Amino acid sequence: MICRLIILAVLFTVRTVAAAEINGCTITSATLCTEMDLSGANLRNADLARAALRQSDFTGADMRSANLFNADMVLVNLNSANLGGAMLNEADMRNATLIGTRLTGARLNGASLKSADLTGADFTGAELRGANLNGANLTRAKFSNAELQRTDLSGSVMNGADFRGADMTGVNLNNATLQGADLTGATLNDVDFSNVDTSGCNGCPRVKKTSQ
């Protein structure tokens, strides 16, 4: 079922959605709607736990402190959205687009962001324990003071990313790219840097080249 947004109110150019019916779909926990246009919507503190929201457009939406636990957000567009303090534990965000998205202090433990575009996203102070970011684009992303224990960053591109002070214990970096990244002060216990491109990386250990 394809759901289209009915504009209920416009306030300072920001659309507000509260207990709204959208072509028969209610914006609440366990919502079963896809391909919604919620760009610029005010979803602050919204309860969307376990909601099916795949392929929806949340560009520029205010989703601060929203509950998106275990939500299906495959292929969603969250460019420039504000998810500061949001609950995204175990959310499925594979192939999502989060360019310039703010996720400061958000919780993404066990979430899947596999192959997502996170260019310039801000994860400062966020929790991503056990998250899957395999093959993600993390160019210039900010992870300072983030909790990244056992996170899968294999095959990801992290050129110019900021990991200062982050806890990266047990992180999988196999075949990742860290050109120009900054890991100053990061906790790197049990991190495997094999096959990692660390050219110009601050705080990265010297990677031993495997002889051919």
Side-chain angles (χ1 to χ4, degrees), residues 7-165:
I7 301 177
L8 299 179
V10 179
L11 180 62
F12 300 112
T13 72
V14 177
R15 288 173 291 178
T16 301
V17 179
E21 288 290 330
I22 301 176
N23 289 355
C25 297
T26 304
I27 299 300
T28 186
S29 180
T31 291
L32 297 174
C33 288
T34 59
E35 298 182 47
M36 290 188 294
D37 179 7
L38 288 163
S39 54
N42 183 353
L43 293 167
R44 189 172 183 178
N45 299 309
D47 183 3
L48 291 164
R50 301 183 179 84
L53 303 165
R54 60 173 53 205
Q55 298 184 51
S56 293
D57 185 1
F58 295 94
T59 303
D62 183 355
M63 304 172 76
R64 284 174 289 174
S65 300
N67 182 4
L68 292 153
F69 170 76
N70 200 30
D72 182 350
M73 302 178 75
V74 174
L75 288 167
V76 296
N77 183 346
L78 287 159
N79 291 346
S80 301
N82 190 343
L83 287 125
M87 162 63 79
L88 290 150
N89 289 345
E90 299 182 32
D92 188 351
M93 304 170 74
R94 288 170 295 160
N95 297 293
T97 305
L98 297 93
I99 299 173
T101 304
R102 186 171 183 178
L103 293 133
T104 53
R107 287 163 288 173
L108 299 103
N109 300 310
S112 178
L113 290 149
K114 186 175 181 179
S115 301
D117 189 348
L118 300 155
T119 303
D122 189 350
F123 291 90
T124 301
E127 298 177 7
L128 297 102
R129 299 183 187 93
N132 184 354
L133 284 80
N134 170 259
N137 183 355
L138 298 164
T139 302
R140 298 185 304 281
K142 299 176 182 178
F143 290 93
S144 58
N145 299 311
E147 300 290 334
L148 293 156
Q149 296 94 323
R150 304 178 307 283
T151 297
D152 185 359
L153 292 167
S154 59
S156 61
V157 177
M158 297 171 279
N159 296 339
D162 181 2
F163 291 94
R164 289 176 296 174

